[in-house]
Amino acid sequence: MFYWLMKYIVIGPIVKAIFRPWTVGRRNIPAEGAAILASNHLSFADSIFLPLMIDRRMSFLAKSDYFTGRGLRGWATRIFFKATGQIPIDRSGGKASEASLNTGLQVLGRGDLLGIYPEGTRSPDGRLYRGRTGIARMALEARVPVVPVVMVDTDTVMPIGQRLPRIGRVGIVIGEPLDFSRFAGMEGDRYVLRSVTDEIMVALQRLGAQQYDDIYASSAKERIAARAGGTVTTAPEDPAPSLD
């Protein structure tokens, strides 16, 4: 109830009135049943616009720190992330990564939509980077389709390092679902996981025509930082985990 209240009465109408987001291919999202929405990741704002612009409820896996802040700011952050369907998870790696995977599988097991950024972090320069294989493992274990989603111009509205958005239009392009049922039972094969992940990234590249660079986005950030002789600004941090 809280989710729908915030989406259609409190947050949604304001965001839509200011940014006038457009959507292409909304019919490609299954009307019912579980599915993974695999999106490119240009901006912190991606996790805001995508849930608001589709009819069904969807969830992202978000860093647990966003739900534990104190004071008015901590309260406001918790309310905002709950309103946009975020689920708190531990991103520290190791067993936490396995727990993140299981949390995602629980969402899919309920027949819901789960949003994942295969790149694992935001693109530092607008390019599309190599996908991490956690998305493939989740799709094969849950036996659900993967719907490619391309966010357009969200990095213009809210670039990395900027806390307040600029006024501008953003778009969402939704592609046809990808069926990986031919790989059923092969989620333990790392070569299959890489093949499935690469197929998802090819679909995203074709859908959005982004320039593709076959390295991880995290490595690209390090490369950019090394060239600049400093560090890359990433605040506010990415809400979604890499699930590699």
Side-chain angles (χ1 to χ4, degrees):
M1 181 65 181
F2 176 74
Y3 176 90
W4 300 113
L5 177 67
M6 299 298 284
K7 179 173 179 174
Y8 289 112
I9 298 178
V10 182
I11 294 179
I14 297 174
V15 171
K16 290 179 181 179
I18 294 174
F19 298 100
R20 297 175 297 134
W22 52 268
T23 306
V24 174
R26 192 178 303 179
R27 68 183 184 281
N28 289 323
I29 296 179
E32 59 183 19
I36 293 174
L37 272 58
S39 174
N40 65 331
H41 199 12
L42 299 175
S43 168
F44 180 84
D46 296 334
S47 300
I48 301 172
F49 288 107
L50 182 54
L52 288 177
M53 294 306 295
I54 63 174
D55 297 329
R56 293 182 59 187
R57 176 169 184 161
M58 67 170 295
S59 301
F60 281 101
L61 303 183
K63 194 171 81 166
S64 59
D65 293 7
Y66 288 114
F67 296 82
T68 58
R70 297 180 179 180
L72 180 61
R73 182 176 179 179
W75 173 84
T77 301
R78 285 195 300 276
I79 292 297
F80 174 78
F81 274 83
K82 288 180 180 179
T84 51
Q86 317 285 334
I87 299 175
I89 54 93
D90 183 352
R91 290 180 55 183
S92 58
K95 292 183 179 180
S97 296
E98 189 69 23
S100 299
L101 179 73
N102 292 334
T103 300
L105 289 173
Q106 289 175 14
V107 172
L108 296 171
R110 297 196 299 265
D112 294 339
L113 300 177
L114 179 67
I116 296 179
Y117 301 115
E119 294 166 277
T121 187
R122 285 168 291 182
S123 170
D125 55 9
R127 297 184 184 187
L128 184 69
Y129 286 95
R130 196 170 198 238
R132 296 184 177 273
T133 58
I135 186 173
R137 181 180 168 192
M138 193 175 293
L140 296 188
E141 285 199 20
R143 301 189 178 188
V144 298
V146 177
V147 181
V149 177
V150 171
M151 307 301 296
V152 181
D153 291 333
T154 51
D155 54 338
T156 301
V157 167
M158 195 168 185
I160 291 177
Q162 184 164 315
R163 294 187 177 277
L164 295 177
R166 303 167 180 168
I167 304 301
R169 294 200 73 182
V170 301
I172 302 173
V173 182
I174 304 169
E176 295 182 359
L178 304 175
D179 179 13
F180 296 109
S181 59
R182 63 191 184 278
F183 296 117
M186 303 176 71
E187 58 269 16
D189 189 321
R190 62 189 181 95
Y191 296 106
V192 168
L193 295 182
R194 173 45 59 191
S195 176
V196 169
T197 303
D198 288 346
E199 186 173 334
I200 294 170
M201 302 314 293
V202 167
L204 286 174
Q205 197 281 325
R206 289 177 176 173
L207 194 63
Q210 282 178 267
Q211 184 176 347
Y212 180 76
D213 195 344
D214 194 28
I215 63 171
Y216 291 121
S218 56
S219 298
K221 288 183 177 181
E222 294 173 359
R223 182 175 63 185
I224 292 171
R227 288 176 179 172
T231 57
V232 176
T233 302
T234 58
E237 293 186 25
D238 300 304
S242 62
L243 293 175
D244 190 12

